[in-house]
Amino acid sequence: MLEKPNKLRVALISGGVIGAVSGIPGISLINCCCCAGVWLGGLLAMYLYKQQFAEGMPPLESSDALILGLMSGVVGAFVSTVLSVLILVVLGPVEAEFLRSIFEKVLDRLAEEGNLPGDMLDQLKEQLEQSIKDSAQVSGILGGLFITLIVYPIFAMLGALLGYAFFRPKTPPQTTPAQ
């Protein structure tokens, strides 16, 4: 009986996709919808892994999905962090500036409508500026890595389990002969 395919190659590919989707500004907005990019990375991992199976190999199991999701999520967290740092170094805080402009417009509109007191508006803007500065520091980058090392494997495992449900071989129900 043959052994199951190696999971490392698949985890590196799908983790790279997770990292790219999460680390590139603009595209990373996909993750605003329940980490959809990370789910898709886990789903991709199961698809690629299933493609490597041949006749005579042990069957695909849910534990394969969990392991692949975990590995892909960890790789994705590191790739995302490295990409974010590279983009921060080359282009500056592009995504932070975009989000700042959106939040400032929302805050200004709330203040104009009277839903936000003026002194609170100033406090919120100061906190926004401070969080943007903190995110570009080493502690902010390491904090982001720590969070993604928790969140990405969880959602990648969920995506891989979803992929397992889609891609596992369908076996017909066993019928017992009538006695």
Side-chain angles (χ1 to χ4, degrees), residues 146-167:
F146 178 74
I147 290 170
T148 57
L149 279 172
I150 295 169
V151 173
Y152 285 12
I154 292 170
F155 282 98
M157 284 190 292
L158 291 173
L161 284 172
L162 186 64
Y164 172 73
F166 287 150
F167 304 125

Side-chain angles (χ1 to χ4, degrees), residues 53-119:
F53 272 77
E55 196 69 33
M57 287 186 174
L60 184 64
E61 297 172 345
S62 60
S63 61
D64 295 325
L66 292 173
I67 292 168
L68 268 173
L70 179 69
M71 292 170 65
S72 299
V74 169
V75 171
F78 281 106
V79 170
S80 172
T81 301
V82 168
L83 271 176
S84 296
V85 168
L86 288 175
I87 290 171
L88 183 65
V89 168
V90 173
L91 300 175
V94 175
E95 198 166 34
E97 293 297 327
F98 174 69
L99 290 174
R100 176 191 305 164
S101 68
I102 290 173
F103 281 124
E104 284 181 348
K105 288 177 186 175
V106 169
L107 291 175
D108 289 339
R109 177 167 259 182
L110 287 172
E112 287 172 8
E113 294 174 356
N115 296 331
L116 190 65
D119 60 332

Side-chain angles (χ1 to χ4, degrees), residues 17-72:
V17 170
I18 290 171
V21 166
S22 302
I24 297 174
I27 296 174
S28 64
L29 294 175
I30 291 172
N31 282 335
C32 289
C33 181
C34 295
C35 288
V38 182
W39 282 74
L40 291 174
L43 189 76
L44 174 67
M46 279 310 293
Y47 174 78
L48 293 174
Y49 189 63
K50 175 67 175 146
Q51 297 302 312
Q52 293 181 358
F53 272 77
E55 196 69 33
M57 287 186 174
L60 184 64
E61 297 172 345
S62 60
S63 61
D64 295 325
L66 292 173
I67 292 168
L68 268 173
L70 179 69
M71 292 170 65
S72 299

